[in-house]
Amino acid sequence: MQLAIHAENYPYRSDYLWVTRPNHADWLYDVGEKAVVDVEFYKYGMPVDGVVDYKLADDMLAPDDEGSVKLKDGKCRIVVGTRRVPGFRDVRLSLTIDGHTYRHHVKIGFAPDKIRPYTKEPSDFVSYWRMAIADMRKKALKYTCEPADEYTTDKMDCRLLKIDIDGAHTMYGYLFVPKNAKPASCPVVLCPPGAGIKTIKEPLRHKYYAENGFVRLEIEIHGLDPRLPQTAFEEMSRAFNGRDGGYLAFGIDSRERYYMRHVYLGLVRCIDLLTSLPEWDGRNVAVQGGSQGGALALVAAGLDERVTQCVVNHPALSDMAAYLEPGRTGGYPHFCRIAGLLDSRTATTLAYYDVVNFSRHVKAPVYMTWGYNDDVCPPTTSYTVWNTLTCPKDSLITPINEHWTSDNTEYGQMLWIKEHLK
């Protein structure tokens, strides 16, 4: 769930371009304040006349208003109105021209700093996870390690690890270590993956971590060898990750059987491994990820006090049961879309796995980034997490972004970790 051309706001090599400008430069308004969005449409960079159809909706919810407005010299204005409670409104646009329909949208926020979670913390939340970690650690740390020459460079060594989590589950990971690193010289970084059943994509994409003196572990969460052919991952995904919610719904009626239990425990086990390495500097343990990976970074920081820096992009798995309250926006994987799945029983399980509840316990500094136009991990739930965090925190808000971050943003996150080393 990282950078993808189809998820970007401005289409790649397209002759057609939408431009949307809320009348507040930061796209934010007070509750009760009326918002207006100026819309422009261009072909080959030249303004186009036509009719823009629009639908207005609360973030991720069904439209509650619609209409149309004429473009004159390529420009028109849409009166969005307001909200009476904190949250986001989504302005969804469409225009048919030259036999094709072009769509765009823009989300604007109303007092988002006042958004509060629906999800409540169970009374035994902390004790439940402490006991689960203690039970896991009854089995000694165990893993295999072999060279991964295909990802080794003149500046870093790469090793493929297979990590035993609890005797029943494993995870694979690529470990990147700076060349000739001295003992006790390196901060360590754990990077959990975005959602899906897939290989560890582009392991060298973030090679600048090892080139800047970090030991970095990029993991998968399903116990699948990342060297398997892509066709194998595609077949497994079709078989086990369908429209019924996939692995994120497996065992959702029980906190003990829920699929993500061993995943969350695996984060702690990975930190056990990283802090056992002779190269670890003995002080710094960073976690970094986006979407599901961002959620898992916050989970790791909430579970394990050894985490000293936490970097998060648009976290998934946040306020997931909020859809149970009419008119509220919930987080990915949007279980409300699967008939009969989200109810009071499954919400009870989800409370033990919701990022909101882990965020309450994060003590390490957090650097978090999100965009407003995101329809995967919506801005409503990103603000829910942000507003819940009580630790030191920095943000990079990129309103126009959908579900992606730029290479520059991700490199800047490495620099942020570097600046916050102990």
Side-chain angles (χ1 to χ4, degrees):
M1 300 170 69
Q2 295 292 326
L3 178 62
I5 292 298
H6 70 269
E8 295 190 19
N9 305 76
Y10 293 120
Y12 179 66
R13 293 187 179 180
S14 174
D15 295 329
Y16 303 89
L17 177 67
W18 291 96
V19 177
T20 47
R21 293 192 180 93
N23 63 324
H24 283 194
D26 61 0
W27 301 23
L28 298 180
Y29 301 80
D30 292 331
V31 167
E33 189 174 11
K34 292 183 178 180
V36 172
V37 175
D38 288 319
V39 177
E40 301 172 29
F41 190 83
Y42 298 92
K43 178 181 179 181
Y44 306 136
M46 297 178 287
V48 171
D49 289 346
V51 176
V52 173
D53 296 317
Y54 65 87
K55 294 182 179 180
L56 306 179
D58 289 338
D59 196 8
M60 303 303 296
L61 302 182
D64 52 50
D65 193 9
E66 61 183 79
S68 61
V69 62
K70 290 183 178 180
L71 288 167
K72 183 178 180 181
D73 297 326
K75 299 179 180 180
C76 65
R77 173 170 287 186
I78 296 173
V79 178
V80 179
T82 190
R83 281 181 60 100
R84 296 300 174 187
V85 295
F88 278 78
R89 292 286 279 170
D90 191 1
V91 183
R92 304 170 189 174
L93 310 170
S94 66
L95 171 66
T96 299
I97 185 173
D98 299 336
H100 296 279
T101 298
Y102 297 89
R103 297 185 185 355
H104 185 57
H105 78 132
V106 58
K107 295 185 186 183
I108 54 178
F110 295 85
D113 58 315
K114 294 181 172 61
I115 296 173
R116 295 296 179 264
Y118 168 89
T119 300
K120 303 293 190 295
E121 182 176 321
S123 59
D124 63 343
F125 180 81
V126 173
S127 61
Y128 173 77
W129 283 107
R130 284 179 178 170
M131 185 175 297
I133 292 170
D135 286 344
M136 176 190 69
R137 284 187 171 147
K138 289 177 182 177
K139 294 185 178 295
L141 173 63
K142 182 181 177 181
Y143 64 96
T144 62
C145 177
E146 60 181 276
D149 295 336
E150 65 272 32
Y151 299 122
T152 292
T153 71
D154 60 336
K155 295 181 180 179
M156 63 186 182
D157 294 318
C158 182
R159 307 160 191 166
L160 178 66
L161 305 183
K162 183 179 181 182
I163 308 157
D164 184 272
I165 305 305
D166 53 11
H169 302 92
T170 60
M171 291 180 179
Y172 283 85
Y174 284 116
L175 182 72
F176 297 91
V177 180
K179 209 81 166 180
N180 303 316
K182 296 179 180 179
S185 65
C186 298
V188 294
V189 183
L190 174 63
C191 179
I197 298 177
K198 58 193 177 186
T199 187
I200 299 173
K201 283 190 173 183
E202 301 180 84
L204 291 177
R205 181 180 176 191
H206 297 103
K207 64 181 182 178
Y208 45 76
Y209 276 86
E211 293 173 352
N212 279 270
F214 293 92
V215 170
R216 181 178 173 89
L217 177 59
E218 299 230 6
I219 62 170
E220 59 81 48
I221 62 171
H222 304 295
L224 299 173
D225 190 326
R227 297 169 298 186
L228 289 170
Q230 179 63 26
T231 53
F233 283 100
E234 291 170 355
E235 288 173 355
M236 285 183 282
S237 185
R238 285 193 294 269
F240 300 109
N241 200 31
R243 295 183 179 179
D244 59 353
Y247 67 87
L248 287 168
F250 292 171
I252 199 172
D253 59 341
S254 166
R255 69 178 186 177
E256 308 298 334
R257 296 193 304 271
Y258 187 41
Y259 186 86
M260 297 302 286
R261 177 183 163 93
H262 80 266
V263 175
Y264 287 15
L265 293 174
L267 301 170
V268 176
R269 188 56 104 187
C270 287
I271 294 173
D272 289 345
L273 188 159
L274 286 168
T275 56
S276 75
L277 298 174
E279 294 88 356
W280 180 46
D281 66 9
R283 299 182 303 278
N284 292 284
V285 177
V287 286
Q288 179 265 322
S291 195
Q292 177 187 266
L296 296 179
L298 285 165
V299 168
L303 281 177
D304 197 324
E305 292 188 359
R306 292 173 295 180
V307 172
T308 52
Q309 300 89 17
C310 179
V311 172
V312 182
N313 304 330
H314 39 252
L317 314 181
S318 302
D319 219 16
M320 292 179 281
Y323 287 113
L324 288 174
E325 183 177 308
R328 287 204 65 147
T329 299
Y332 180 90
H334 308 293
F335 287 129
C336 63
R337 298 173 180 172
I338 304 165
L341 183 60
L342 185 59
D343 56 24
S344 59
R345 184 180 180 186
T346 55
T348 298
T349 298
L350 289 174
Y352 288 91
Y353 293 88
D354 199 290
V355 167
V356 166
N357 287 334
F358 290 94
S359 296
R360 304 181 201 275
H361 299 279
V362 174
K363 296 180 181 178
V366 171
Y367 182 33
M368 182 168 152
T369 186
W370 66 98
Y372 293 168
N373 283 350
D374 198 331
D375 273 346
V376 179
C377 298
T380 298
T381 56
S382 286
Y383 267 103
T384 298
V385 170
W386 176 255
N387 295 339
T388 300
L389 292 167
T390 58
C391 57
K393 55 186 181 179
D394 295 320
S395 66
L396 173 62
I397 301 174
T398 56
I400 202 164
N401 284 30
E402 296 192 7
H403 199 62
W404 58 278
T405 49
S406 70
D407 290 341
N408 285 341
T409 292
E410 294 186 12
Y411 186 81
Q413 292 171 343
M414 183 275 293
L415 295 178
W416 183 90
I417 296 174
K418 199 171 184 179
E419 291 168 0
H420 288 77
L421 294 176
K422 292 181 176 293

